[in-house]
Amino acid sequence: MLTIDARVELFKKQFPEEKVKSVKERDGSNFSIVEINHTWMCKSAKTQEGIALLEREKNVLTVLPGNIEATIPAPLYYEENFLVYKKIPGS
């Protein structure tokens, strides 16, 4: 699993124009999410199986827009075990 610091550094490399002002960890049983600036969600898996699930999640989230009538997060960046999307307003 990627550390919080590693995820923040990956985020900074991909989104250099976004100044990191706040970081909050949201820890679940299979995944860990780092919320940056109350807007950006940086998700990574805790297990090898979770890494495969995270890639699958990215693939599903990529094809859903326009196919369902619900607000879903749009993947903005992905590399193995690191998925970034913007937080859905109100969540």
Side-chain angles (χ1 to χ4, degrees):
M1 181 175 84
L2 295 170
T3 66
I4 292 173
D5 290 340
R7 283 178 277 169
V8 170
E9 288 305 311
L10 282 169
F11 175 83
K12 287 169 146 179
K13 280 183 176 179
Q14 295 307 313
F15 303 94
E17 70 287 351
E18 186 72 29
K19 302 300 177 208
V20 176
K21 297 174 184 166
S22 68
V23 175
K24 179 181 178 182
E25 184 176 28
R26 295 175 174 227
D27 204 27
S29 58
N30 296 316
F31 300 98
S32 177
I33 298 174
V34 172
E35 182 179 321
I36 297 176
N37 297 345
H38 308 287
T39 302
W40 300 89
M41 308 305 273
C42 302
K43 188 174 186 178
S44 67
K46 293 181 175 182
T47 65
Q48 199 63 32
E49 180 182 300
I51 292 171
L53 290 172
L54 189 61
E55 183 171 4
R56 184 175 178 192
E57 178 181 343
K58 184 264 308 177
N59 292 337
V60 169
L61 290 174
T62 301
V63 299
L64 283 178
N67 292 310
I68 62 171
E69 293 185 27
T71 304
I72 57 166
L76 299 173
Y77 179 77
Y78 177 78
E79 69 178 58
E80 185 177 47
N81 202 24
F82 186 67
L83 174 64
V84 178
Y85 54 88
K86 281 193 172 182
K87 185 177 179 180
I88 295 173
S91 63

